[in-house]
Amino acid sequence: MYGLIDCNNFYASCERVFNPSLNGKPVVILSNNDGCVIARSTEAKAIGIPMGEPAFKLIELIETHNVQVFSSNYVLYGDMSQRVMTTIATHVPALEIYSIDEAFLLLNGFDAIDLNKFGLNLVQTVTRNTGIPVSLGIAPTKTLAKVANKFAKKYKNYRGVAIIDTDEKREKALKITEIGDVWGIGRRYSKKLQYYGINSAWDFTQRPKSWVRHNMGVVGERTWMELRGISCLEMEVPANKKSICTSRSFGKPLAMLPEIAEAVANFTASCAEKLRAQHSYANMITVFIQTNPFSKDQPQYFNQRILALPIPTNDSTELIHFALECFKSIFKTGYLYKKAGVIVSEIIPERPLQGDLFDNRNREKYNRVMMVMDNLNALYGRQRVKIAAQGFDRKWKLKHEKLSPCYTTQLNDVLEVNANEKNPDMNATIG
DNA sequence: TCTGGGGTCCTAGGACCC
DNA sequence: TCTGGGGTCCTAGGACCC
């Protein structure tokens, strides 16, 4: 059997753990740049705040219902996620962290155990230890565990745990599950299937396998099998990323090359850090820039440049050099830019590295520099040591007007603020 | 005035190989 | 006049997830 445990209204719940006055009030969390609603408390859902809605369209609703609004605080959510996952891990033989607020559990060897009792205990323990409410679905396949999880969330009398362990329960559950709510059925397939008269997950399972294969490929066929109780998706082990992207919308539109270059350097540095964290090198780098597609009256421009790196690398200085080369080749004056991004791809393990006979860079030395930089930043706070091209202006920086304190990682923040105030020179740069 | 960010997998078709 | 068989790699596009 598989379990799927999911944190209820995760980001909103994180804010509440350290600010109990939010309990019972509608809470929403905004995307980066305070753009769209990306998480809502139950109360916020109840007053009709839709997911993904731009915040500026909600001003009235927010005022009339006294909605508590927060900028996203990923440092806090990441830390809370870790606490939740660590707690779960002590109760099961295997855990697959599927997203920041979700994990699949392997429930092998539980034949002699009352799964409901086990589930209730797990749900209560996580909530007690972390303050985050969670729901658990249990079923013979991952896709059915997802279905069960929705029921655990929806019906209060389940007390957070729902189990699909018989064909009767499976049929009953699938008949009241809309096809679009099935894991693996997105907006496109949902529309297509409804066109063919398939409205519930049950309708879908009653179609012939060959029809599903023909219309939805092997992926759709797997979903079909899983819904019929035949497991096709196993627990997965975390793999290294095959591509890494860092992109952001700017807090305000930017027109000048230097300020956007600073943003590109920062995004590249972030990609390089992630590469080093997973002990990989990239072979390819992509830089893109774009104007604001929502400004209908402004001239629009999007462009990207993909560059094959001469030697695979994860060195911030080297990657920033090539990123800026790409950026300068696509930058055009006369536009108001709203967003930029850097993607590193064709990722390979650090070892063994195929070198280049004519490469005259002292890679050993630069690797040590990166290592020292990473260690210092781990010790004294993010970006304490950085590359000169990353700059200090940060004109591109995000809007984050309603950020909550980083409750769980306060120490570093206090240190950083104090250091910046008293002695700005404490921030070192490598040039 | 204001609209997020980061990923994966599969398929079909074209180019090319022997 | 007749014109094989088997394979790989790459890319763009489409679908999905959180």
Side-chain angles (χ1 to χ4, degrees):
Chain A
M1 297 288 269
Y2 291 96
L4 188 269
I5 198 161
D6 185 312
C7 303
N8 304 344
N9 314 320
F10 183 54
Y11 295 170
S13 299
C14 288
E15 298 293 348
R16 278 181 173 164
V17 169
F18 297 93
N19 186 353
S21 74
L22 298 173
N23 288 330
K25 292 182 190 159
V27 177
V28 302
I29 287 83
L30 304 179
S31 60
N32 268 339
N33 240 354
D34 293 347
C36 306
V37 172
I38 54 165
R40 305 157 296 163
S41 71
T42 313
E43 299 79 5
K45 289 174 189 169
I47 59 172
I49 296 180
M51 187 72 166
E53 186 78 347
F56 71 88
K57 291 187 180 172
L58 293 170
I59 291 172
E60 249 192 70
L61 210 53
I62 286 169
E63 280 188 1
T64 45
H65 291 91
N66 191 24
V67 178
Q68 307 295 303
V69 180
F70 291 90
S71 304
S72 34
N73 185 342
Y74 290 109
V75 177
L76 174 65
Y77 310 150
D79 196 65
M80 292 306 293
S81 172
Q82 230 176 54
R83 296 182 184 192
V84 169
M85 300 304 175
T86 311
T87 306
I88 301 170
T90 59
H91 289 78
V92 290
L95 171 79
E96 176 192 335
I97 297 174
Y98 181 65
S99 75
I100 193 162
D101 71 332
E102 264 181 67
F104 285 106
L105 322 177
L106 186 64
L107 301 178
N108 279 357
F110 280 59
D111 300 350
I113 293 171
D114 180 338
L115 281 175
N116 192 50
K117 224 164 142 185
F118 163 82
L120 287 171
N121 175 53
L122 178 56
V123 163
Q124 284 157 17
T125 305
V126 172
T127 307
R128 190 180 58 234
N129 288 10
T130 66
I132 303 288
V134 298
S135 305
L136 173 61
I138 298 175
T141 71
K142 281 179 155 184
T143 310
L144 285 172
K146 277 269 200 181
V147 172
N149 181 275
K150 294 224 162 152
F151 283 91
K153 260 199 184 141
K154 199 165 163 188
Y155 299 107
K156 286 277 159 283
N157 55 332
Y158 284 132
R159 291 191 292 157
V161 181
I163 305 179
I164 297 175
D165 55 359
T166 65
D167 268 342
E168 294 77 61
K169 287 186 197 169
R170 186 173 66 85
E171 179 170 344
K172 207 176 150 193
L174 294 188
K175 279 184 171 165
I176 53 173
T177 298
E178 281 175 38
I179 187 62
D181 287 340
V182 173
W183 186 46
I185 309 288
R187 224 188 314 236
R188 298 301 281 264
Y189 281 143
S190 187
K191 219 175 146 186
K192 182 170 173 175
L193 291 171
Q194 278 167 33
Y195 170 81
Y196 286 108
I198 298 163
N199 295 305
S200 69
W202 179 256
D203 296 340
F204 180 63
T205 60
Q206 297 315 107
R207 283 281 163 147
K209 190 175 174 181
S210 56
W211 185 89
V212 175
R213 174 66 192 238
H214 179 252
N215 285 283
M216 302 170 68
V218 66
V219 184
E221 190 181 332
R222 270 186 215 133
T223 299
W224 183 87
M225 299 269 285
E226 285 244 321
L227 286 176
R228 290 171 67 106
I230 298 153
S231 177
C232 303
L233 305 168
E234 300 189 345
M235 297 291 279
E236 285 178 27
V237 283
N240 280 349
K241 297 269 181 280
K242 296 172 177 176
S243 70
I244 293 170
C245 173
T246 305
S247 77
R248 293 284 181 281
S249 298
F250 309 136
K252 56 176 186 200
L254 299 176
M256 309 298 286
L257 186 140
E259 45 202 35
I260 304 174
E262 194 181 293
V264 169
N266 276 283
F267 300 162
T268 312
S270 157
C271 287
E273 250 170 59
K274 293 176 196 167
L275 277 173
R276 294 195 294 273
Q278 67 166 36
H279 301 287
S280 304
Y281 290 131
N283 271 296
M284 199 81 94
I285 188 164
T286 305
V287 176
F288 67 86
I289 49 176
Q290 70 178 62
T291 51
N292 185 355
F294 295 104
S295 315
K296 299 287 183 228
D297 48 339
Q298 300 280 352
Q300 295 290 316
Y301 178 64
F302 170 89
N303 207 350
Q304 62 174 356
R305 168 110 188 269
I306 307 172
L307 184 78
L309 297 165
I311 307 236
T313 182
N314 60 18
D315 183 318
S316 296
T317 61
E318 202 177 12
L319 283 165
I320 287 176
H321 167 82
F322 289 114
L324 291 178
E325 192 179 301
C326 289
F327 165 64
K328 283 168 189 163
S329 77
I330 53 174
F331 176 83
K332 282 207 263 179
T333 48
Y335 293 100
L336 284 173
Y337 293 92
K338 183 61 179 170
K339 184 176 180 174
V342 176
I343 306 164
V344 291
S345 51
E346 302 268 291
I347 293 174
I348 54 162
E350 265 177 349
R351 282 183 179 65
L353 175 66
Q354 174 74 58
D356 179 329
L357 193 55
F358 304 106
D359 177 30
N360 51 21
R361 186 180 171 90
N362 186 340
R363 290 182 184 275
E364 192 62 30
K365 191 174 101 181
Y366 275 100
N367 283 345
R368 284 205 301 273
V369 174
M370 288 300 117
M371 211 171 78
V372 170
M373 186 172 82
D374 289 339
N375 287 341
L376 285 171
N377 287 337
L379 216 57
Y380 297 110
R382 288 181 58 238
Q383 306 239 336
R384 179 52 41 82
V385 181
K386 57 185 177 182
I387 312 302
Q390 289 180 250
F392 293 101
D393 283 355
R394 301 176 77 83
K395 284 201 177 119
W396 50 275
K397 72 174 189 297
L398 303 170
K399 243 195 318 190
H400 253 171
E401 288 168 355
K402 317 206 173 202
L403 193 65
S404 56
C406 291
Y407 299 102
T408 58
T409 50
Q410 198 89 44
L411 215 65
N412 264 351
D413 296 327
V414 170
L415 178 67
E416 190 158 9
V417 170
N418 288 345
N420 284 333
E421 279 170 359
K422 288 179 190 154
N423 184 6
D425 294 337
M426 227 187 104
N427 287 292
T429 57
I430 302 171

